[in-house]
Amino acid sequence: MFERPDSTGDRAILVALTIGGNPDIEAQVAEFEELVRSAGAEVLAVIRGPRDRPHPRLFAGAGKADEIRAAVEAHAADVVIFNHALSPSQERNLERHLQCRVLDRSGLILDIFAQRARSHEGKLQVELAQLRHMSTRLVRGWTHLERQKGGIGLRGPGETQLETDRRLLAARIKHIERRLEKVERTREQGRQARLRNEIPTVSLVGYTNAGKSTLFNRLTHADVYEADQLFATLDPTLRRLDLAPHQSLILADTVGFVRDLPHELVAAFKATLTETREAALLLHVIDAADPEREARIEQVEAVLAEIGAEDVPCWRVYNKIDQLEHAPAEPAERFGSEDNAFWLSAHTGEGVERLEQCLAEYFTEAMTRGWIALPASAGRLRARLYAEKAVEAEQTAEDGGLRLRVHLPARRYRQLLGEAGLDPETALIEQDTTEPPQHSTAVGSWL
């Protein structure tokens, strides 16, 4: 049975290999070092090197593993952190070879999230992600526990230590999942209440440290923690934003994204990310002064696709123009006109007023109200519309089809009918009427 090395410090050796050639390796290494420092570790050395493919047993290969071990001994390091995803067996083999703790990129990000979680929901989500990550990496970490042994008086309780650990982990994971389901139901009730009150939700998304929390505080006059570091804020925050008399929206500040975000976190933060997936509009906050700006945009869009939010309307907000070498007096004159793009500084407030004005204009006519015609086979769509409190009246047509008077956000209307395979424009047979139009033709025959 493998014994985990007994080291508890934070003096770290970093390993960043170039697998199969990578032109962006320097930027990735810089981000990796920043992640490690965000976790509170002291960077002693960075080991680099090229490889065609990962070594199946040690990831880095025997020669490179010996080099890493020499660095660990020379610097008296406590932990070796890889800027890669390691398999459980590779992690165990490396710990045995290096005689110190080994952490991969996913484990590093999970550790940062564990440090930053403040709310009850955030702590549950991080613990769930950690347990799922840990479940495949169980080792003999507690030598005092009983295990099955031979001989009279030496037999254990019937389970090996690993079996006991796996059973306890599985039970804890189920317990946390049940508690998070309650949180998700509470959030869903809040979303339904906002839909009934016609209050749209706008979600801030973007790469970590792009300035989302600073913009959130600027718009809502909130006091969310903000700092120039990765994952400065973790817990989602919702605030009401009054744009004009009788016109408000809910602004959501969400967790920042990062390259190779662990799948355990994406799964654990399902309830939080639903705020993004179900939002009426996304504001993709981008660090305009970041030399890796375009790569960051692609990585955020990849995460949005992973959580099912790629079809939500999205505006790009280029932040931190005050950090540009030549900040323009009128951003559009310098950068050209890009549809649904804004250049501003959340720190100084420059350009924020224009964003607020465009938000007010966008949501002025963002509701769909009128009679729609559905085929008799659209029972599931009818149920979803009722579940969202969007149906004001209903009638049955002569051919058995349905006539529903609906009132809901236009984006949500298009999304629901699109998922049901219906054309939103054709289904809306008359807007803002008090009586249903007198037709009997089913929608299915019009498509």
Side-chain angles (χ1 to χ4, degrees):
M1 182 74 75
F2 168 63
E3 296 280 6
R4 169 152 279 158
D6 185 17
S7 58
T8 58
D10 293 318
R11 293 164 53 83
I13 298 293
L14 310 189
V15 181
L17 304 181
T18 305
I19 305 297
N22 187 347
D24 299 326
I25 186 63
E26 292 302 324
Q28 293 180 12
V29 171
E31 179 187 86
F32 178 43
E33 292 187 46
E34 192 173 353
L35 278 173
V36 173
R37 293 190 179 94
S38 295
E42 177 187 357
V43 178
L44 303 176
V46 180
I47 306 296
R48 305 192 187 198
R51 278 198 68 85
D52 293 334
R53 63 183 65 85
H55 189 277
R57 184 172 175 272
L58 296 172
F59 189 87
K64 185 62 68 173
D66 289 339
E67 179 185 343
I68 298 170
R69 180 168 181 169
V72 170
E73 294 172 350
H75 293 87
D78 304 303
V79 61
V80 174
I81 306 177
F82 278 71
N83 190 30
H84 312 276
L86 301 176
S87 69
S89 62
Q90 288 171 337
E91 196 170 299
R92 287 193 294 269
N93 292 335
L94 284 165
E95 286 189 342
R96 187 182 292 112
H97 185 84
L98 303 175
Q99 287 302 299
C100 74
R101 287 184 297 128
V102 173
L103 199 64
D104 68 355
R105 182 183 176 86
S106 296
L108 172 65
I109 295 176
L110 287 171
D111 184 83
I112 297 173
F113 272 55
Q115 294 180 40
R116 303 286 164 77
R118 294 292 179 268
S119 70
H120 174 65
E121 177 189 3
K123 291 177 181 178
L124 284 177
Q125 290 169 327
V126 172
E127 183 180 355
L128 177 60
Q130 287 180 312
L131 290 176
R132 285 173 172 167
H133 185 73
M134 188 190 308
S135 62
T136 59
R137 288 167 164 77
L138 290 177
V139 295
R140 183 185 174 191
W142 303 275
T143 58
H144 64 279
L145 297 180
E146 284 186 312
R147 293 188 295 115
Q148 289 178 333
K149 298 179 180 179
I152 297 175
L154 297 177
R155 293 178 176 84
E159 288 182 306
T160 65
Q161 178 183 320
L162 281 180
E163 288 170 342
T164 303
D165 293 343
R166 288 193 182 102
R167 179 171 54 81
L168 293 175
L169 269 180
R172 179 62 179 168
I173 286 174
K174 289 182 180 178
H175 176 68
I176 294 176
E177 287 176 338
R178 286 194 296 269
R179 295 173 69 178
L180 284 174
E181 285 175 2
K182 293 182 180 179
V183 173
E184 189 171 0
R185 285 197 295 270
T186 301
R187 284 189 172 276
E188 183 61 28
Q189 290 172 356
R191 278 191 291 272
Q192 297 303 329
R194 293 195 293 272
L195 281 173
R196 288 194 297 272
N197 294 325
E198 302 178 14
I199 302 179
T201 299
V202 175
S203 183
L204 297 176
V205 300
Y207 210 79
T208 182
N209 204 27
K212 296 184 299 301
S213 296
T214 306
L215 180 59
F216 182 84
N217 289 338
R218 172 70 65 174
L219 289 170
T220 64
H221 307 290
D223 192 24
V224 173
Y225 176 72
E226 55 185 77
D228 185 17
Q229 62 184 31
L230 301 185
F231 301 116
T233 53
L234 173 60
D235 300 311
T237 307
L238 303 178
R239 290 289 187 276
R240 187 185 185 103
L241 174 60
D242 295 319
L243 297 172
H246 309 294
Q247 185 181 22
S248 302
L249 57 81
I250 299 297
L251 194 65
D253 184 20
T254 60
V255 62
F257 300 151
V258 72
R259 181 178 62 87
D260 299 330
L261 191 66
H263 292 287
E264 294 92 345
L265 275 176
V266 175
F269 278 71
K270 178 183 176 184
T272 301
L273 295 174
T274 301
E275 295 291 352
T276 298
R277 191 170 56 251
E278 300 295 335
L281 177 68
L282 302 181
L283 296 182
H284 180 180
V285 182
I286 301 161
D287 184 351
D290 188 347
E292 300 295 322
R293 188 175 71 202
E294 295 304 319
R296 301 284 188 261
I297 292 173
E298 292 179 2
Q299 289 151 10
V300 169
E301 291 176 348
V303 176
L304 290 175
E306 185 176 354
I307 66 175
E310 68 273 22
D311 294 329
V312 180
C314 183
W315 293 356
R316 291 184 179 182
V317 178
Y318 293 89
N319 189 26
K320 303 186 182 181
I321 61 171
D322 56 303
Q323 296 183 13
L324 296 176
E325 184 177 355
H326 301 289
E330 176 56 49
E333 294 178 4
R334 175 176 174 83
F335 298 102
S337 58
E338 181 182 350
D339 292 341
N340 298 330
F342 302 84
W343 296 81
L344 54 80
S345 170
H347 178 67
T348 65
E350 180 183 357
V352 174
E353 184 178 353
R354 175 172 172 263
L355 174 62
E356 291 179 308
Q357 292 172 348
C358 291
L359 285 172
E361 294 173 2
Y362 180 80
F363 286 107
T364 299
E365 309 241 348
M367 299 295 292
T368 293
R369 185 171 190 173
W371 287 93
I372 63 173
L374 304 179
S377 59
R380 177 173 296 182
L381 173 59
R382 173 183 176 275
R384 294 186 68 180
L385 289 169
Y386 269 99
E388 301 205 9
K389 312 295 184 183
V391 180
E392 296 180 338
E394 177 179 352
Q395 290 191 2
T396 303
E398 295 178 358
D399 62 350
L402 301 174
R403 300 291 184 270
L404 302 179
R405 179 172 172 79
V406 297
H407 189 194
L408 73 167
R411 180 202 63 83
R412 186 61 175 158
Y413 167 75
R414 292 190 296 271
Q415 180 182 359
L416 289 174
L417 267 74
E419 291 175 356
L422 301 177
D423 183 355
E425 300 298 328
T426 307
L428 187 62
I429 52 180
E430 192 164 334
Q431 281 188 284
D432 295 321
T433 60
T434 56
E435 295 295 332
Q438 300 301 315
H439 336 198
S440 59
T441 307
V443 154
S445 64
W446 300 345
L447 302 180

